[in-house]
Amino acid sequence: MKFLHSMVRVKDLDKSLQFYIDHFGLIEVKRYENEEGQFTLVYLAAKDDLKADSKINSPLIELTYNWPNDKGETEDYGNARNFGHLAFAVSNIYKTCQKLLNHGVTINRPPRDGRMAFFKSPDNISIELLQTG
């Protein structure tokens, strides 16, 4: 068995991509548009998970964007807590948190002990940072 990805439903794909790529530093590695199903899937990887040959041997994050209906409405996913969190190991937790703060991201649980921090995505997904080592 191999863990493939965590799927997160997003309401605003552009806003979510700006957050995950520009602010947090993930890389888009694959995109799938499904006209019939009216959805877009975007797969993201952490920079350190990309090998020199561009192959990925780590789990990905799948952002699922369900297109608006004929009235231009998108589904409201609410603030359900049925999804726990995404976790990433980082080499410098304080530097990573400062970068996020510089982009206006609120750190809900700062790295007081130097080992762990939590913040949320635009879609209210909790993200945990763990200091490597």
Side-chain angles (χ1 to χ4, degrees), residues 36-67:
E36 185 178 334
Q38 300 286 289
F39 63 87
T40 301
L41 305 179
V42 178
Y43 294 89
L44 305 172
K47 197 180 302 183
D48 291 346
D49 290 338
L50 295 177
K51 296 181 179 180
D53 61 4
S54 297
K55 291 188 179 179
I56 303 163
N57 195 26
S58 298
L60 301 172
I61 293 179
E62 172 193 305
L63 301 183
T64 296
Y65 173 66
N66 293 308
W67 299 353

Side-chain angles (χ1 to χ4, degrees), residues 11 18 21 33 35-37 40 55 61 65 70 78-79 86 90-91 93 96 101 109 111 116-117 119 122:
K11 191 167 183 152
Q18 180 184 35
I21 294 172
E33 305 268 345
E35 289 279 339
E36 185 178 334
T40 301
K55 291 188 179 179
I61 293 179
Y65 173 66
D70 294 338
N79 290 323
L86 304 173
V90 296
S91 61
I93 197 165
T96 303
L101 287 168
R109 197 261 186 214
M116 175 177 49
F119 59 97

